[in-house]
Amino acid sequence: MTRGKGRWSKPDPDHGVEEATLLILEWLGEQGVGAMIRVDSERMREGRPAWTFAAGGGPLSEGLRADGASVAECMGRALLKLREAGLAVPF
């Protein structure tokens, strides 16, 4: 991880990964990884997983994508894939 900028708060047991999503995206950017999360209203209306996380570049040898029915599900899957790709996201 790059030098700390003092923005990592102590985890709150009443909140999940969705509370840290923007911090995770910012941390990935600091590592040279382009990343985004989006919601697709059409997939939501159709009852399909509407949230998508996508990342690529920097230390990732290839891009990755994770989908979920909620922000928490999407980011949980994204964190697993990032860790499998060798990025130890500090969350």
Side-chain angles (χ1 to χ4, degrees), residues 17 21-22 24-29 33-39 43 49-56 60 63-68 70-83 87 89:
V17 69
T21 295
L22 294 178
I24 293 167
L25 291 174
E26 186 174 18
W27 182 85
L28 288 168
V33 176
M36 67 169 210
I37 187 164
R38 69 179 295 265
V39 64
R43 290 191 309 181
W51 290 90
T52 299
F53 170 88
L60 293 174
L64 61 87
R65 174 183 170 149
D67 295 301
S70 66
V71 174
E73 181 182 347
C74 179
M75 288 304 296
R77 290 179 178 180
L79 287 171
L80 287 173
K81 288 186 174 195
L82 287 164
R83 289 181 181 133
L87 266 175
V89 179

Side-chain angles (χ1 to χ4, degrees), residues 1-73:
M1 185 162 93
T2 60
R3 67 177 182 262
K5 295 184 180 178
R7 59 180 177 269
W8 293 98
S9 60
K10 194 171 188 178
D12 182 347
D14 295 329
H15 295 90
V17 69
E18 62 271 9
E19 296 294 320
T21 295
L22 294 178
L23 293 173
I24 293 167
L25 291 174
E26 186 174 18
W27 182 85
L28 288 168
E30 291 170 354
Q31 309 313 304
V33 176
M36 67 169 210
I37 187 164
R38 69 179 295 265
V39 64
D40 185 317
S41 62
E42 185 175 323
R43 290 191 309 181
M44 188 179 284
R45 281 190 304 272
E46 295 171 353
R48 296 187 296 145
W51 290 90
T52 299
F53 170 88
L60 293 174
S61 60
E62 55 186 56
L64 61 87
R65 174 183 170 149
D67 295 301
S70 66
V71 174
E73 181 182 347

